[in-house]
Amino acid sequence: MPDSGVSRAQRTQTPTAKDAPGTTGPSAPTPAPLPAAPPAPAAPLVAARRAALLVTLVLGGLTALPALSMDMYLPALPEVTDALHAPAATVQLTLTACLLGMALGQLVVGPMSDRWGRRTPLLAGMLVYVVATAVCAFAPTAELLIGFRLLQGLAGAAGIVIARAVVRDLYDGMEMARFFSTLMLISGVAPIVAPLIGGQVLRFTDWRGIFVVLTVVGALLTLVVRRYLHETLPPDERHTGGVADALRTMRGLLADRVFTGYTLAGGLAFAVLFSYISASPFVVQEIYGASPQTFSLLFGLNSVGLIAVGQLNGKVLVGRVSLDRVLGIGLLVILAAAVALLLMTTGVFGEVGLAPMAAGLFVLMSAMGLAMPNANAQALMRSRNAAGSASALLGTSSFLIGAVASPLVGIAGEETAVPMAVVQVVCAVAAGACFLLLCRPWRQAAQG
């Protein structure tokens, strides 16, 4: 699909003077001049900008909610272990269950939104999320907590997948890539502030209070969605088939070589990011001796780098440089940073301190702001009539590939960072290979 660079809402034609009411052709008398009136479009333009900002905030909240659900809970893990008298490994399954639910839930909600529209599945998912989170706050056993964390993830997936589908409904081409970069600004803040919020909540209550806060946040977001997020998929563009039709749609998307290439490239880039998130607490604190405060500072700086580069992508590069070129540069920088980290962790440069490692991780994280928004935009541009299913495949592949890569970073124990760097290099090479071999960007540039 060619890049249009405009939103669908901007495509209405402006009537010309000869079409204006009150004109009768060339012989019509020239009316007397009237006093200058204030420009009429000012008020509608302001209203349109406010509406666009509101939609951005709502979709940003939906994409940030999963990070809040995962990361606010992290500081409470030791307390949960003691309170429920469960082994640490069992309590860790509450994180795994939530992540698995988010991955699989997208496969269900995405096709549902293509059939019944965006609002109904989203509101249903949000209501289930609120109920499941409330039950988590009162779970008496670790097993019950694991079960409802799975349900919480399944329901929370509605926000992730439908937010991307709504963006696809509203925007095309360059404008869609810009919007994804804006969403990255909002959703990128969530992992930074979520552990801080969780830590502050624990100062006044126990781990159950975190789920109470998440319940309130989910309920408020549900009300905001119901009030302000209107339906974006017209009835005549919806799919009327059942499960078999949804499976055929997904099979057709995966049969599209270019769509699959962008999906895999984005998912493997996400795996690089996820390996960093999984390994960095041990690498920075246990191996390089940083304090928890220093680790939090470095984690925050890396997230700021990702957000800043994402905004550079959306505000400066998109529209001036092709999306494929920016995506290729992002993947190349990720690979270069991963190789540098591997050389440092294997001792090629001798003993290195925390500063060079932190610099390498900062570059690697920042380059995600070039790779992930453009991979998502390019994939969704090839799925105009099945945005929900395409969004489901994008999200599920990212979560599943990340979930596979995450345990590998600790395969050699907590005393070495080599597995983290190896996983990052392998995933970066694989992402670049998928982009080059499946997407073949040079051919698309020639066709464009």
Side-chain angles (χ1 to χ4, degrees):
M1 176 180 293
D3 291 344
S4 63
V6 295
S7 69
R8 298 185 181 184
Q10 294 171 325
R11 294 179 188 164
T12 54
Q13 301 265 339
T14 302
T16 60
K18 70 178 182 178
D19 298 322
T23 59
T24 59
S27 60
T30 304
L34 297 174
L45 182 60
V46 171
R49 287 178 175 173
R50 288 177 178 172
L53 177 60
L54 187 58
V55 170
T56 302
L57 294 176
V58 172
L59 297 183
L62 292 173
T63 56
L65 187 61
L68 292 176
S69 302
M70 292 289 293
D71 296 343
M72 274 185 64
Y73 177 62
L74 293 178
L77 283 179
E79 185 178 329
V80 176
T81 302
D82 295 336
L84 298 182
H85 308 289
T90 301
V91 175
Q92 286 284 353
L93 289 177
T94 61
L95 296 176
T96 304
C98 187
L99 183 62
L100 182 63
M102 290 179 187
L104 298 180
Q106 296 183 62
L107 288 176
V108 177
V109 179
M112 287 173 60
S113 73
D114 283 338
R115 181 176 183 183
W116 290 302
R118 312 303 184 203
R119 273 176 56 87
T120 300
L122 177 57
L123 289 172
M126 293 299 298
L127 288 173
V128 174
Y129 173 89
V130 171
V131 173
T133 306
V135 174
C136 287
F138 300 98
T141 65
E143 291 75 17
L144 189 62
L145 182 60
I146 292 170
F148 277 92
R149 283 284 278 176
L150 176 64
L151 183 59
Q152 183 192 38
L154 288 167
I160 309 173
V161 67
I162 293 180
R164 277 194 300 263
V166 168
V167 174
R168 182 63 189 92
D169 293 338
L170 297 176
Y171 298 99
D172 273 332
M174 302 295 182
E175 197 68 19
M176 182 164 56
R178 290 192 184 99
F179 199 95
F180 275 125
S181 294
T182 303
L183 283 186
M184 180 168 285
L185 170 64
I186 301 172
S187 59
V189 172
I192 303 175
V193 302
L196 301 177
I197 296 173
Q200 293 303 311
V201 171
L202 290 176
R203 293 181 59 185
F204 301 99
T205 182
D206 60 5
W207 63 273
R208 299 181 187 276
I210 292 178
F211 287 106
V212 172
V213 172
L214 286 173
T215 302
V216 173
V217 170
L220 292 176
L221 189 56
T222 303
L223 294 176
V224 170
V225 168
R226 186 178 184 276
R227 174 65 178 83
Y228 294 107
L229 189 63
H230 303 295
E231 181 58 62
T232 59
L233 185 66
D236 58 347
E237 294 185 15
R238 298 176 187 176
H239 293 188
T240 57
V243 175
D245 183 67
L247 293 176
R248 279 193 299 270
T249 300
M250 289 187 175
R251 186 166 62 246
L253 289 169
L254 293 175
D256 179 357
R257 170 179 48 80
V258 180
F259 173 84
T260 301
Y262 287 125
T263 300
L264 290 176
L268 288 162
F270 184 80
V272 176
L273 172 65
F274 216 76
S275 65
Y276 156 78
I277 294 174
S278 300
S280 59
F282 302 103
V283 171
V284 174
Q285 296 182 82
E286 301 297 330
I287 299 176
Y288 290 93
S291 66
Q293 291 74 27
T294 301
F295 165 73
S296 300
L297 176 62
L298 293 177
F299 191 90
L301 287 175
N302 290 340
S303 299
V304 169
L306 186 152
I307 295 169
V309 173
Q311 294 311 291
L312 173 69
N313 174 68
K315 306 296 185 184
V316 178
L317 298 180
V318 172
R320 294 179 174 87
V321 185
S322 73
L323 299 185
D324 276 336
R325 181 170 296 181
V326 178
L327 173 56
I329 291 172
L331 293 176
L332 186 61
V333 174
I334 291 172
L335 176 59
V339 170
L341 289 169
L342 180 60
L343 294 176
M344 283 188 282
T345 57
T346 52
V348 172
F349 300 132
E351 291 291 332
V352 297
L354 177 60
M357 283 292 297
L361 291 171
F362 178 81
V363 172
L364 182 140
M365 279 283 287
S366 298
M368 297 292 172
L370 298 178
M372 293 196 297
N374 294 317
N376 285 339
Q378 290 287 66
L380 286 173
M381 272 191 279
R382 301 190 63 88
S383 55
R384 178 172 183 171
N385 297 321
S389 296
S391 178
L393 290 173
L394 279 170
T396 300
S397 63
S398 295
F399 276 99
L400 290 182
I401 296 173
V404 171
S406 178
L408 299 178
V409 300
I411 198 169
E414 301 177 4
E415 289 75 28
T416 176
V418 173
M420 178 195 73
V422 170
V423 169
Q424 290 172 341
V425 169
V426 171
C427 290
V429 169
C434 290
F435 175 59
L436 293 175
L437 299 178
L438 297 178
C439 301
R440 301 176 187 175
W442 60 89
R443 293 189 179 180
Q444 296 191 63
Q447 294 171 359

